[in-house]
Amino acid sequence: MKALIFDVDGTLADTEDAHRKAFNDAFVEFKLGWVWDSDLYKKLLKVTGGKQRIRFFLENHDPDFLQRADIDDLILSLHQTKTKYFIARLENGQVPLRPGIEDLIHEARAMGLTIAIATTTTPVNVRTLLTVNLGKDSLDWFACIGDGGVVPVLKPEPDVYNWVLDKLGLRPEEALALEDSRNGLISCVRASVPCLVVTNDYTADQDFSGCLAQWPNYEDVTVAKLEALCATIKL
Ligand code: XBP
Ligand code: MG
């Protein structure tokens, strides 16, 4: 195990409720009358990427709305507004890292492990989450940050993991990915990267067949435990 590749949403932090509320804030600003509650949002998480998620919602709840001539521009503006509200929540300190994540990052760095990021989220979201919670320097701790802007196709496709591995100059089996969702796991499986799934309230009942292991939290997770897990791959 030479590198840890961290997913962001649901892995570094439980961000999804802040994303959900930011979508709702944007819907209010645009006077659309749409409200995404937690049960609906759980279903909408089937699709990664905020713009794609809005389109998926409309396909299922208001297909006629998609016929508007300005639909592409509208989704773009809505998503920019959603990002503005999401960033405000991050900057207000409303989205802390998951317990155990900061210690794991520090331990990995101290042991000389490479750390990187593979996510589908908007670039400014990752940068703000890291700088608010770990300080400005933390952006340099990661050998590379694969975000939703680096490849055209998001998870569950493997592109972002392939991009990160290419940047790191590593083979998939030299890395361990940390994910929280089925889409993240499938992306890893397609890129042949071993994947530990650490679930959260939004993802705990998803199907994680194909993962190396499924754990409930990061509270007792150490580099030694991750190395022991990777060692089981050879058995
Ligand atoms: C997370 C996502 C993201 C966020 C929204 O998936 O699907 O799209 O929910 O972010 P993963 P944007 O953790 O697997 O990367 O609105 O910025 O797209
Ligand atoms: Mg995730």
Side-chain angles (χ1 to χ4, degrees), residues 7-11 155 179-181:
D7 167 50
V8 173
D9 293 298
T11 295
K155 300 174 191 176
E179 281 283 355
D180 68 302
S181 70

